[in-house]
Amino acid sequence: MRRWLLISVPYLWLLVFFLVPFFIVFKISLSDIATAIPPYTPTFDWSQGLSGIGTFLSQLDFENYFFIFEDPLYLNAYWSALTIAAISTFLTLLIAYPIAYGMARAPKEWQPTLVMLVILPFWTSFLIRVYAWIGILKKEGLLNLFLMNLGIISEPLTILNTTTAVYIGIVYSYLPFMILPLYASLEKINPSLLEAAEDLGSPPWKAFWQVTFPLSIPGVLAGCFLVFIPATGEFVIPDLLGGSDTLMIGKTLWNEFFNNRDWPVSSAVAVVLLLVLVVPIVLFQRNQEKQREAGR
Amino acid sequence: MRRFSWFNATSIALGFAFLYIPILLLVIYSFNESKLVTVWGGWSTKWYSSLLQNEGLLSAAWVTLRVAVVSSTLATILGTLAAIVLVRIGRFPGRTLFSGLIFAPLVMPEVITGLSLLLLFVAMNVDRGFWTVVIAHATFSMCFAAVVVQARLYDFDKSVEEAAMDLGAPPVKTFLQVTLPIIAPSVISAWLLSFTLSLDDLVIASFATGPGATTLPMKIYSQVRLGVTPEINAVSTIMIGLVTIGVIFASYTTKRASARQEREMKAVDAGAK
Amino acid sequence: MSETQALGASPTATPGAGPTRATVRTPAPQSGFAPWKDPSKSPIVRFENIVKRFGDFVAVKECTLDIYEREFFALLGPSGCGKTTLLRMLAGFEKPTSGRILVAGEDITELAPYERPVNMMFQSYALFPHMTVEQNIGFGLKQEGMPKDAIAARVEEAMAMLELSRFGKRKPHQLSGGQQQRVALARAIAKKPRIVLLDEPLGALDKRLRQQAQFELMRIQETTGTTFIIVTHDQEEAMTVSSRIAVMDHGQFMQVATPGDIYEAPNSRYVANFIGDVNLFEGKVVRVADGFVEIDWGPGLARFKSVAPEGCVADQQIWLALRPEKVRIAFEKPSEASNAVPGKVVDVGYLGSISHYHVELANGQRVRALRANSARTVARTINWEDSVWLEWPPETGIVLTR
């Protein structure tokens, strides 16, 4: 009895505020835009009873989905969000791996401090950290100033408001999410495994590819999912750092909702984005559960 | 893993430079006399004093702080309960859905979470404002809180709770006298994490809010879109400073606690001889 | 503070210098204390047809068992045999799938752990890490709502009994393994429960400490007059501490008897093998006469004679169990012995006080024999490849029917 009380409080909360809203999003994605409050039709009318449900259901259709799939704007936005997320995930992995590897090999007494230094930026505002790059990347910004003073370039580079700036922003913002799982899996590797590999005739760089890297794959996977999934739906970074030609679906959804006030279409965009992300999200949860099982 | 090489040291140094230089530049330029962000006009604190006159920013900061305190407290309670359900109550009908509901918000794009919550509030016909933002923040933070507490509960020896019951403590007493004190550090970090998540959130708050409840990130965002201003640098510096002080304070107190424990042990040892 | 100091301070905890098993158990010497033989005594614990299933796995199969007041009862078996499950059902952490558990005649099957008159010492000790030794020991008393000064007195008493008085203000992580073990025991006895349950209580200690702790457990059990039920996989530990042992396998009791009976009169090959070392000869009953049985254990081999077990009939398949220390080994064929087999020594293990011999018989079977090295020099030592005779009187072998 008490058990059910304990379960029901967080369960009901999540059902009401997380699961039910998705059904509402789905329902509205089948509705039509209207100049009303709320700005969609039909709305459900309780006073009509059962026949009301019938007329209500008959007015729903998949029109918005056809619209999304016919307009190349949306398809491009999905596709470019996925490619930008994939490329930046790969870049983040390239940068994070040597850092995590160095941290795992650092003297034991430094490691807690190093981990804290990786986490610390995560505690400071995401928005502020993205904002910091505007001042650095813009035409008269600090990076161009620095490079021109060194004489490396004579003309300022255009980085801000390009896709390059979006890559930089994603890599920078999500770097801790990649370093931490990598470090966790690298740190667990028993050093005598490497000694054993070398003892059996494998030079260090080979031992790395034969022993260290395969053992760190769970961390690599966890890190990649943790970067890829939220980066696909990212809004702040493409909005602040990207240009008008940088299409990302999160930004499209935002504009559709706040600027065009088209709630049904933005709901349909959200439903499709969710369907696109279901595969990586489920794979990620599988990976996590496998790790937890193996850890016990 | 041993044998720390030059390659390792260089990667760490470059990595941390990449992580920290943008933040450092932001802080330095908040003390810039010149209004042009890229031109150094000498040291000045004038942007900080002009902040104090900016009532819009100040009231947004106050709203943000209140939202963060209330929502993180709510999130910690709900998250701790959820963690206990996941770890301590084995199988129950609907468990798979429950663990999915805890997990999904962690990776769900914010635009989707925000939009769906807004549509819920509209459908429920509630006035949007302070409380809707609190509920929105509590909902996604509770999942982070649950993960933090869950990790602690997993490496918690269950027989300690059994021992308490065996000695006559009913479940609720066992939780309050034994479980909670042992997991307290993770509950506190869950609260701190929820607090910063709430402080930081722009997207979900933008969807869930209504008139009169503009949060600081929303305010910053609307100004940032118009360009870089030293005033925003100053606000950011204050926020970074507060977080840094918080983190340093937290690590200092835990260090002091462990040092005290060591001293106690030595004293006891001396007394025992 | 070193381990030796802490434990050495306890006069009974030092093996050798301390009292032997017989003196520790003075009020209940093995011959006198046998409530299970007394039909007028009623048991303090009764397991009645207990079955426990975890999904498809049957952990405990139809177990019925009586345990009496002041017993030190051991549940002994390999891991996964159901002994811990049985103990946890008595503590209330697991519910039996069917059957009843009675304590002092009262059905406690449905009671929650915190409503039962038993206290448990956990394998991991399960000390509350955020409380001092005193708070740990006093926890159960506090739950009863006992007044503060009474709690303090009882805690003091328990700490004194276990030589813990100096550590009262310490936290568990500031104690050694042996000290933690004693805090766990003190906590389990502080409420003066009628029954104390011990789940592998000494598993985490090293061998030397474990022996000391075994004597300490016996002393505490004796002075408090409490019923102790211990779960262990260590047969030596069970033999040392307990008044009776239940040998378990696959969720069933194989034999419930005193340590002496378990060793000298095992009822099955499983028990004979599990407790100590044993030689087994498989054979067939030729005939039963005058309380003795004649055993044919292979064509062309001299028949064995042994004391007949109850209900033994001709042609029945049986096993003869023979403890190595009961086999005499000699160069010459003994004249009057009823059982003697020739063989060849294939292995000798010299252990100082005793020597082990592995002797291969004509049919290829190997037999182990033990001999005490009582004389410092012997005219001729038994060595590899020596031809020897093994001999034992008919009373020493045990005929097993299963």
mmCIF file of all heavy atoms in Angstrom, chain B residues 157 159-160 162-163 165-171 173 177 181-182 261 265 268-269 273, chain C residues 88 93 114 118-120 122 124 126 128-130 139-140 143 170 173-174 187 191:
data_model
loop_
_atom_site.group_PDB
_atom_site.id
_atom_site.type_symbol
_atom_site.label_atom_id
_atom_site.label_comp_id
_atom_site.label_asym_id
_atom_site.label_seq_id
_atom_site.Cartn_x
_atom_site.Cartn_y
_atom_site.Cartn_z
ATOM 1 N N ASP B 157 24.928 -0.381 0.476
ATOM 2 C CA ASP B 157 24.718 -1.751 0.944
ATOM 3 C C ASP B 157 23.302 -1.884 1.515
ATOM 4 O O ASP B 157 22.982 -1.293 2.536
ATOM 5 C CB ASP B 157 25.775 -2.075 2.017
ATOM 6 C CG ASP B 157 25.614 -3.484 2.560
ATOM 7 O OD1 ASP B 157 24.793 -4.246 2.000
ATOM 8 O OD2 ASP B 157 26.304 -3.813 3.527
ATOM 9 N N SER B 159 21.867 -4.143 3.033
ATOM 10 C CA SER B 159 21.725 -4.767 4.345
ATOM 11 C C SER B 159 21.768 -3.732 5.474
ATOM 12 O O SER B 159 21.324 -4.017 6.580
ATOM 13 C CB SER B 159 22.779 -5.848 4.538
ATOM 14 O OG SER B 159 24.063 -5.325 4.454
ATOM 15 N N VAL B 160 22.296 -2.524 5.201
ATOM 16 C CA VAL B 160 22.263 -1.483 6.239
ATOM 17 C C VAL B 160 20.815 -1.113 6.564
ATOM 18 O O VAL B 160 20.448 -0.955 7.729
ATOM 19 C CB VAL B 160 23.071 -0.247 5.785
ATOM 20 C CG1 VAL B 160 22.904 0.889 6.764
ATOM 21 C CG2 VAL B 160 24.537 -0.601 5.649
ATOM 22 N N GLU B 162 18.278 -3.127 6.002
ATOM 23 C CA GLU B 162 17.699 -4.314 6.625
ATOM 24 C C GLU B 162 18.065 -4.369 8.100
ATOM 25 O O GLU B 162 17.256 -4.751 8.944
ATOM 26 C CB GLU B 162 18.190 -5.574 5.909
ATOM 27 C CG GLU B 162 17.589 -5.736 4.531
ATOM 28 C CD GLU B 162 18.061 -6.989 3.819
ATOM 29 O OE1 GLU B 162 19.058 -7.605 4.268
ATOM 30 O OE2 GLU B 162 17.450 -7.353 2.830
ATOM 31 N N ALA B 163 19.301 -3.976 8.414
ATOM 32 C CA ALA B 163 19.737 -3.979 9.805
ATOM 33 C C ALA B 163 18.853 -3.058 10.640
ATOM 34 O O ALA B 163 18.446 -3.394 11.749
ATOM 35 C CB ALA B 163 21.198 -3.546 9.901
ATOM 36 N N MET B 165 15.761 -2.171 10.059
ATOM 37 C CA MET B 165 14.438 -2.781 10.249
ATOM 38 C C MET B 165 14.525 -3.928 11.237
ATOM 39 O O MET B 165 13.638 -4.117 12.065
ATOM 40 C CB MET B 165 13.912 -3.280 8.913
ATOM 41 C CG MET B 165 13.571 -2.162 7.992
ATOM 42 S SD MET B 165 12.207 -2.644 6.947
ATOM 43 C CE MET B 165 12.912 -2.425 5.371
ATOM 44 N N ASP B 166 15.600 -4.695 11.135
ATOM 45 C CA ASP B 166 15.799 -5.832 12.024
ATOM 46 C C ASP B 166 15.861 -5.371 13.477
ATOM 47 O O ASP B 166 15.434 -6.062 14.387
ATOM 48 C CB ASP B 166 17.092 -6.535 11.634
ATOM 49 C CG ASP B 166 17.348 -7.762 12.459
ATOM 50 O OD1 ASP B 166 16.577 -8.716 12.324
ATOM 51 O OD2 ASP B 166 18.311 -7.760 13.252
ATOM 52 N N LEU B 167 16.399 -4.154 13.680
ATOM 53 C CA LEU B 167 16.513 -3.630 15.037
ATOM 54 C C LEU B 167 15.254 -2.888 15.454
ATOM 55 O O LEU B 167 15.227 -2.230 16.488
ATOM 56 C CB LEU B 167 17.726 -2.705 15.129
ATOM 57 C CG LEU B 167 19.066 -3.445 14.983
ATOM 58 C CD1 LEU B 167 20.198 -2.464 14.724
ATOM 59 C CD2 LEU B 167 19.365 -4.268 16.228
ATOM 60 N N GLY B 168 14.216 -2.954 14.643
ATOM 61 C CA GLY B 168 12.925 -2.448 15.085
ATOM 62 C C GLY B 168 12.473 -1.144 14.478
ATOM 63 O O GLY B 168 11.500 -0.560 14.946
ATOM 64 N N ALA B 169 13.178 -0.636 13.432
ATOM 65 C CA ALA B 169 12.756 0.623 12.835
ATOM 66 C C ALA B 169 11.828 0.343 11.656
ATOM 67 O O ALA B 169 12.224 -0.334 10.719
ATOM 68 C CB ALA B 169 13.960 1.420 12.371
ATOM 69 N N PRO B 170 10.579 0.861 11.686
ATOM 70 C CA PRO B 170 9.673 0.691 10.545
ATOM 71 C C PRO B 170 10.198 1.440 9.317
ATOM 72 O O PRO B 170 11.083 2.294 9.458
ATOM 73 C CB PRO B 170 8.355 1.293 11.037
ATOM 74 C CG PRO B 170 8.530 1.604 12.469
ATOM 75 C CD PRO B 170 9.968 1.589 12.797
ATOM 76 N N PRO B 171 9.670 1.137 8.132
ATOM 77 C CA PRO B 171 10.247 1.668 6.894
ATOM 78 C C PRO B 171 10.477 3.180 6.877
ATOM 79 O O PRO B 171 11.542 3.629 6.462
ATOM 80 C CB PRO B 171 9.225 1.253 5.828
ATOM 81 C CG PRO B 171 8.603 0.025 6.370
ATOM 82 C CD PRO B 171 8.577 0.196 7.857
ATOM 83 N N LYS B 173 10.819 5.318 9.344
ATOM 84 C CA LYS B 173 11.893 5.659 10.287
ATOM 85 C C LYS B 173 13.246 5.232 9.729
ATOM 86 O O LYS B 173 14.235 5.950 9.874
ATOM 87 C CB LYS B 173 11.655 4.940 11.619
ATOM 88 C CG LYS B 173 11.066 5.836 12.699
ATOM 89 C CD LYS B 173 11.008 5.048 14.001
ATOM 90 C CE LYS B 173 10.928 5.955 15.203
ATOM 91 N NZ LYS B 173 10.820 5.201 16.437
ATOM 92 N N GLN B 177 16.159 7.857 9.381
ATOM 93 C CA GLN B 177 17.305 7.765 10.295
ATOM 94 C C GLN B 177 18.535 7.145 9.653
ATOM 95 O O GLN B 177 19.653 7.379 10.102
ATOM 96 C CB GLN B 177 16.924 6.933 11.528
ATOM 97 C CG GLN B 177 15.838 7.589 12.357
ATOM 98 C CD GLN B 177 15.571 6.823 13.642
ATOM 99 O OE1 GLN B 177 16.210 5.826 13.932
ATOM 100 N NE2 GLN B 177 14.615 7.304 14.409
ATOM 101 N N PRO B 181 20.337 10.075 5.804
ATOM 102 C CA PRO B 181 21.658 10.604 6.186
ATOM 103 C C PRO B 181 22.794 10.050 5.327
ATOM 104 O O PRO B 181 23.751 10.760 5.040
ATOM 105 C CB PRO B 181 21.824 10.143 7.636
ATOM 106 C CG PRO B 181 20.451 9.888 8.129
ATOM 107 C CD PRO B 181 19.654 9.462 6.942
ATOM 108 N N ILE B 182 22.670 8.792 4.896
ATOM 109 C CA ILE B 182 23.768 8.203 4.123
ATOM 110 C C ILE B 182 23.781 8.757 2.701
ATOM 111 O O ILE B 182 24.837 9.014 2.137
ATOM 112 C CB ILE B 182 23.654 6.658 4.120
ATOM 113 C CG1 ILE B 182 23.826 6.135 5.552
ATOM 114 C CG2 ILE B 182 24.716 6.033 3.231
ATOM 115 C CD1 ILE B 182 23.634 4.645 5.688
ATOM 116 N N GLN B 261 37.472 14.664 10.202
ATOM 117 C CA GLN B 261 37.335 13.246 10.492
ATOM 118 C C GLN B 261 38.704 12.651 10.842
ATOM 119 O O GLN B 261 38.838 11.869 11.777
ATOM 120 C CB GLN B 261 36.788 12.540 9.258
ATOM 121 C CG GLN B 261 35.645 11.633 9.559
ATOM 122 C CD GLN B 261 34.885 11.307 8.299
ATOM 123 O OE1 GLN B 261 35.478 11.114 7.237
ATOM 124 N NE2 GLN B 261 33.581 11.251 8.387
ATOM 125 N N MET B 265 39.927 10.997 14.356
ATOM 126 C CA MET B 265 40.442 9.640 14.434
ATOM 127 C C MET B 265 41.748 9.625 15.202
ATOM 128 O O MET B 265 41.991 8.759 16.035
ATOM 129 C CB MET B 265 40.647 9.099 13.035
ATOM 130 C CG MET B 265 41.066 7.660 13.069
ATOM 131 S SD MET B 265 40.521 6.826 11.612
ATOM 132 C CE MET B 265 41.244 5.245 11.887
ATOM 133 N N VAL B 268 41.056 10.072 18.853
ATOM 134 C CA VAL B 268 40.535 8.846 19.448
ATOM 135 C C VAL B 268 41.667 7.849 19.654
ATOM 136 O O VAL B 268 41.779 7.205 20.689
ATOM 137 C CB VAL B 268 39.432 8.230 18.549
ATOM 138 C CG1 VAL B 268 38.982 6.902 19.125
ATOM 139 C CG2 VAL B 268 38.264 9.177 18.442
ATOM 140 N N ASP B 269 42.538 7.769 18.636
ATOM 141 C CA ASP B 269 43.676 6.857 18.744
ATOM 142 C C ASP B 269 44.543 7.204 19.948
ATOM 143 O O ASP B 269 44.932 6.338 20.717
ATOM 144 C CB ASP B 269 44.534 6.947 17.482
ATOM 145 C CG ASP B 269 43.999 6.026 16.412
ATOM 146 O OD1 ASP B 269 43.310 5.071 16.792
ATOM 147 O OD2 ASP B 269 44.265 6.268 15.229
ATOM 148 N N LYS B 273 45.250 4.864 23.670
ATOM 149 C CA LYS B 273 46.517 4.254 24.059
ATOM 150 C C LYS B 273 46.832 4.365 25.535
ATOM 151 O O LYS B 273 46.084 4.880 26.302
ATOM 152 C CB LYS B 273 47.658 4.885 23.247
ATOM 153 C CG LYS B 273 47.861 4.048 21.981
ATOM 154 C CD LYS B 273 48.692 4.789 20.962
ATOM 155 C CE LYS B 273 48.492 4.156 19.607
ATOM 156 N NZ LYS B 273 48.849 5.056 18.561
ATOM 157 N N ARG C 88 17.018 -15.585 6.378
ATOM 158 C CA ARG C 88 16.346 -14.321 6.052
ATOM 159 C C ARG C 88 14.831 -14.438 6.197
ATOM 160 O O ARG C 88 14.154 -13.454 6.452
ATOM 161 C CB ARG C 88 16.728 -13.851 4.646
ATOM 162 C CG ARG C 88 18.184 -13.360 4.574
ATOM 163 C CD ARG C 88 18.614 -13.073 3.151
ATOM 164 N NE ARG C 88 17.813 -12.035 2.536
ATOM 165 C CZ ARG C 88 18.011 -10.732 2.705
ATOM 166 N NH1 ARG C 88 19.011 -10.322 3.448
ATOM 167 N NH2 ARG C 88 17.236 -9.860 2.118
ATOM 168 N N PHE C 93 13.007 -10.872 6.106
ATOM 169 C CA PHE C 93 13.348 -10.165 4.868
ATOM 170 C C PHE C 93 12.825 -10.894 3.637
ATOM 171 O O PHE C 93 12.755 -10.318 2.567
ATOM 172 C CB PHE C 93 14.866 -9.989 4.759
ATOM 173 C CG PHE C 93 15.429 -9.192 5.888
ATOM 174 C CD1 PHE C 93 16.481 -9.675 6.652
ATOM 175 C CD2 PHE C 93 14.893 -7.950 6.203
ATOM 176 C CE1 PHE C 93 16.978 -8.945 7.702
ATOM 177 C CE2 PHE C 93 15.385 -7.223 7.253
ATOM 178 C CZ PHE C 93 16.432 -7.721 8.009
ATOM 179 N N TYR C 114 10.698 -5.565 11.522
ATOM 180 C CA TYR C 114 10.839 -4.727 12.710
ATOM 181 C C TYR C 114 9.871 -5.108 13.823
ATOM 182 O O TYR C 114 9.856 -4.496 14.872
ATOM 183 C CB TYR C 114 10.686 -3.237 12.342
ATOM 184 C CG TYR C 114 9.481 -2.932 11.490
ATOM 185 C CD1 TYR C 114 8.269 -2.613 12.076
ATOM 186 C CD2 TYR C 114 9.577 -2.959 10.112
ATOM 187 C CE1 TYR C 114 7.160 -2.328 11.277
ATOM 188 C CE2 TYR C 114 8.489 -2.680 9.308
ATOM 189 C CZ TYR C 114 7.287 -2.372 9.897
ATOM 190 O OH TYR C 114 6.207 -2.089 9.116
ATOM 191 N N VAL C 118 13.717 -11.180 16.849
ATOM 192 C CA VAL C 118 15.034 -11.709 16.500
ATOM 193 C C VAL C 118 15.903 -10.552 16.022
ATOM 194 O O VAL C 118 15.392 -9.571 15.502
ATOM 195 C CB VAL C 118 14.944 -12.757 15.377
ATOM 196 C CG1 VAL C 118 14.073 -13.917 15.800
ATOM 197 C CG2 VAL C 118 14.431 -12.148 14.094
ATOM 198 N N ASN C 119 17.203 -10.665 16.234
ATOM 199 C CA ASN C 119 18.117 -9.670 15.698
ATOM 200 C C ASN C 119 19.208 -10.393 14.932
ATOM 201 O O ASN C 119 19.564 -11.518 15.241
ATOM 202 C CB ASN C 119 18.722 -8.797 16.795
ATOM 203 C CG ASN C 119 17.713 -7.792 17.319
ATOM 204 O OD1 ASN C 119 17.580 -7.591 18.512
ATOM 205 N ND2 ASN C 119 16.962 -7.187 16.412
ATOM 206 N N MET C 120 19.715 -9.699 13.915
ATOM 207 C CA MET C 120 20.607 -10.358 12.982
ATOM 208 C C MET C 120 21.952 -9.655 12.936
ATOM 209 O O MET C 120 22.038 -8.440 13.041
ATOM 210 C CB MET C 120 19.954 -10.317 11.594
ATOM 211 C CG MET C 120 20.763 -10.957 10.516
ATOM 212 S SD MET C 120 19.623 -11.704 9.319
ATOM 213 C CE MET C 120 20.631 -11.776 7.896
ATOM 214 N N PHE C 122 24.850 -9.152 10.289
ATOM 215 C CA PHE C 122 24.913 -9.309 8.835
ATOM 216 C C PHE C 122 26.313 -9.687 8.372
ATOM 217 O O PHE C 122 27.312 -9.331 9.007
ATOM 218 C CB PHE C 122 24.487 -8.013 8.155
ATOM 219 C CG PHE C 122 23.018 -7.736 8.288
ATOM 220 C CD1 PHE C 122 22.505 -7.185 9.459
ATOM 221 C CD2 PHE C 122 22.151 -8.041 7.266
ATOM 222 C CE1 PHE C 122 21.159 -6.936 9.592
ATOM 223 C CE2 PHE C 122 20.802 -7.796 7.394
ATOM 224 C CZ PHE C 122 20.302 -7.247 8.555
ATOM 225 N N SER C 124 27.892 -8.475 5.865
ATOM 226 C CA SER C 124 28.681 -7.271 5.585
ATOM 227 C C SER C 124 28.767 -6.372 6.826
ATOM 228 O O SER C 124 29.229 -5.257 6.727
ATOM 229 C CB SER C 124 28.035 -6.505 4.440
ATOM 230 O OG SER C 124 26.748 -6.085 4.833
ATOM 231 N N ALA C 126 26.880 -4.388 7.980
ATOM 232 C CA ALA C 126 25.801 -3.413 7.820
ATOM 233 C C ALA C 126 25.767 -2.399 8.954
ATOM 234 O O ALA C 126 24.709 -2.047 9.465
ATOM 235 C CB ALA C 126 24.443 -4.125 7.698
ATOM 236 N N PHE C 128 25.832 1.278 10.527
ATOM 237 C CA PHE C 128 25.399 2.570 9.997
ATOM 238 C C PHE C 128 26.614 3.486 9.921
ATOM 239 O O PHE C 128 27.185 3.847 10.954
ATOM 240 C CB PHE C 128 24.318 3.175 10.887
ATOM 241 C CG PHE C 128 23.163 2.229 11.140
ATOM 242 C CD1 PHE C 128 22.773 1.896 12.423
ATOM 243 C CD2 PHE C 128 22.497 1.650 10.068
ATOM 244 C CE1 PHE C 128 21.725 1.022 12.645
ATOM 245 C CE2 PHE C 128 21.446 0.772 10.283
ATOM 246 C CZ PHE C 128 21.058 0.455 11.570
ATOM 247 N N PRO C 129 27.021 3.866 8.700
ATOM 248 C CA PRO C 129 28.298 4.573 8.561
ATOM 249 C C PRO C 129 28.285 5.965 9.186
ATOM 250 O O PRO C 129 29.332 6.504 9.503
ATOM 251 C CB PRO C 129 28.493 4.652 7.046
ATOM 252 C CG PRO C 129 27.140 4.496 6.462
ATOM 253 C CD PRO C 129 26.374 3.627 7.406
ATOM 254 N N HIS C 130 27.087 6.548 9.359
ATOM 255 C CA HIS C 130 27.015 7.925 9.843
ATOM 256 C C HIS C 130 26.813 7.989 11.353
ATOM 257 O O HIS C 130 26.630 9.071 11.889
ATOM 258 C CB HIS C 130 25.879 8.654 9.132
ATOM 259 C CG HIS C 130 24.543 7.986 9.327
ATOM 260 N ND1 HIS C 130 24.298 6.695 8.885
ATOM 261 C CD2 HIS C 130 23.415 8.399 9.915
ATOM 262 C CE1 HIS C 130 23.051 6.365 9.201
ATOM 263 N NE2 HIS C 130 22.494 7.386 9.827
ATOM 264 N N PHE C 139 20.966 1.768 18.607
ATOM 265 C CA PHE C 139 19.905 2.035 17.630
ATOM 266 C C PHE C 139 18.623 1.257 17.918
ATOM 267 O O PHE C 139 17.529 1.814 17.934
ATOM 268 C CB PHE C 139 20.419 1.717 16.222
ATOM 269 C CG PHE C 139 19.458 2.076 15.133
ATOM 270 C CD1 PHE C 139 19.464 3.338 14.575
ATOM 271 C CD2 PHE C 139 18.527 1.157 14.661
ATOM 272 C CE1 PHE C 139 18.575 3.676 13.567
ATOM 273 C CE2 PHE C 139 17.626 1.490 13.657
ATOM 274 C CZ PHE C 139 17.662 2.755 13.117
ATOM 275 N N GLY C 140 18.788 -0.050 18.159
ATOM 276 C CA GLY C 140 17.611 -0.883 18.382
ATOM 277 C C GLY C 140 16.864 -0.498 19.649
ATOM 278 O O GLY C 140 15.638 -0.520 19.692
ATOM 279 N N GLN C 143 14.736 2.524 19.125
ATOM 280 C CA GLN C 143 13.489 2.227 18.427
ATOM 281 C C GLN C 143 12.414 1.755 19.397
ATOM 282 O O GLN C 143 11.232 1.955 19.169
ATOM 283 C CB GLN C 143 13.695 1.161 17.346
ATOM 284 C CG GLN C 143 14.763 1.493 16.333
ATOM 285 C CD GLN C 143 14.577 2.849 15.703
ATOM 286 O OE1 GLN C 143 13.482 3.243 15.349
ATOM 287 N NE2 GLN C 143 15.669 3.606 15.601
ATOM 288 N N ARG C 170 33.877 6.322 18.129
ATOM 289 C CA ARG C 170 34.366 6.207 16.752
ATOM 290 C C ARG C 170 33.251 5.905 15.784
ATOM 291 O O ARG C 170 32.221 5.353 16.147
ATOM 292 C CB ARG C 170 35.402 5.089 16.655
ATOM 293 C CG ARG C 170 36.717 5.459 17.250
ATOM 294 C CD ARG C 170 37.780 4.588 16.656
ATOM 295 N NE ARG C 170 39.007 4.704 17.394
ATOM 296 C CZ ARG C 170 40.127 4.091 17.051
ATOM 297 N NH1 ARG C 170 40.147 3.296 16.001
ATOM 298 N NH2 ARG C 170 41.210 4.265 17.754
ATOM 299 N N HIS C 173 34.055 3.502 10.019
ATOM 300 C CA HIS C 173 35.196 3.482 9.103
ATOM 301 C C HIS C 173 36.516 3.705 9.829
ATOM 302 O O HIS C 173 37.585 3.573 9.254
ATOM 303 C CB HIS C 173 35.014 4.512 7.989
ATOM 304 C CG HIS C 173 35.050 5.930 8.468
ATOM 305 N ND1 HIS C 173 36.187 6.686 8.490
ATOM 306 C CD2 HIS C 173 34.084 6.713 8.996
ATOM 307 C CE1 HIS C 173 35.916 7.882 8.983
ATOM 308 N NE2 HIS C 173 34.645 7.916 9.303
ATOM 309 N N GLN C 174 36.434 4.069 11.121
ATOM 310 C CA GLN C 174 37.656 4.259 11.890
ATOM 311 C C GLN C 174 38.036 2.999 12.657
ATOM 312 O O GLN C 174 38.883 3.054 13.549
ATOM 313 C CB GLN C 174 37.479 5.431 12.875
ATOM 314 C CG GLN C 174 37.188 6.745 12.182
ATOM 315 C CD GLN C 174 36.704 7.814 13.135
ATOM 316 O OE1 GLN C 174 35.919 7.534 14.042
ATOM 317 N NE2 GLN C 174 37.163 9.033 12.943
ATOM 318 N N ARG C 187 25.678 -4.908 18.511
ATOM 319 C CA ARG C 187 24.411 -4.313 18.108
ATOM 320 C C ARG C 187 23.301 -5.366 18.063
ATOM 321 O O ARG C 187 22.161 -5.092 18.440
ATOM 322 C CB ARG C 187 24.577 -3.653 16.737
ATOM 323 C CG ARG C 187 23.402 -2.804 16.328
ATOM 324 C CD ARG C 187 23.642 -2.144 15.011
ATOM 325 N NE ARG C 187 23.681 -3.119 13.926
ATOM 326 C CZ ARG C 187 23.842 -2.782 12.643
ATOM 327 N NH1 ARG C 187 24.018 -1.521 12.307
ATOM 328 N NH2 ARG C 187 23.852 -3.698 11.715
ATOM 329 N N LYS C 191 19.636 -5.555 22.214
ATOM 330 C CA LYS C 191 18.224 -5.559 22.578
ATOM 331 C C LYS C 191 17.849 -6.781 23.385
ATOM 332 O O LYS C 191 16.682 -6.986 23.704
ATOM 333 C CB LYS C 191 17.363 -5.520 21.302
ATOM 334 C CG LYS C 191 17.308 -4.155 20.655
ATOM 335 C CD LYS C 191 16.427 -4.183 19.428
ATOM 336 C CE LYS C 191 14.958 -3.970 19.773
ATOM 337 N NZ LYS C 191 14.153 -3.789 18.543
#
